[in-house]
Amino acid sequence: MSFSSHALAILALFATSITVRVLPVFVRLRLGPTARGLLERVLPMAVFLNFVVYIAWTEINTAPAAAVAAIAIAAIVTFSTRAGLLLTACAATLVYFLVRMSLHG
């Protein structure tokens, strides 16, 4: 059985997320404050950033103009308004779709 690079990336991110978020609920580790801080804050942030970079890299390679436009809209909405995550995601998705359709239509 052969897996695509997307499937392997999703599998790696899923396994890491389970290890970081679910496993600590069931397994009690005796860690010092520094190690606990790393496990609770730094490691999940690293997983999230890897996920973001993977998605951005994949989309920019697939449709550069649409991806850059959508990322720019998401950044502008995030930093200039108090719009929620759902509205920001919808706006960026709409921009991505419109740019992609205009370039390929």
Side-chain angles (χ1 to χ4, degrees), residues 18-29 39:
I18 293 295
T19 302
V20 169
R21 289 296 185 189
V22 176
L23 195 57
V25 171
F26 297 108
V27 177
R28 299 286 180 204
L29 299 174
L39 187 63

Side-chain angles (χ1 to χ4, degrees), residues 84-98:
L85 180 62
L86 184 61
L87 181 61
T88 303
C90 288
T93 301
L94 180 64
V95 167
Y96 181 90
F97 175 76
L98 293 174

Side-chain angles (χ1 to χ4, degrees), residues 32-44:
T34 303
R36 177 169 286 135
L38 289 172
L39 187 63
E40 291 175 354
R41 286 182 293 282
V42 176
L43 191 56

Side-chain angles (χ1 to χ4, degrees), residues 62-66 96-105:
T62 302
Y96 181 90
F97 175 76
L98 293 174
V99 171
R100 185 103 191 237
M101 288 293 112
S102 70
L103 292 176
H104 293 287

Side-chain angles (χ1 to χ4, degrees), residues 47-71:
V47 171
F48 176 74
L49 289 175
N50 279 314
F51 188 54
V52 168
V53 168
Y54 173 76
I55 290 171
W57 182 263
T58 302
E59 291 304 321
I60 289 171
N61 281 332
T62 302
V68 169
I71 291 168

Side-chain angles (χ1 to χ4, degrees), residues 6-18:
H6 293 304
L8 290 174
I10 290 168
L11 183 63
L13 288 167
F14 176 76
T16 305
S17 295
I18 293 295

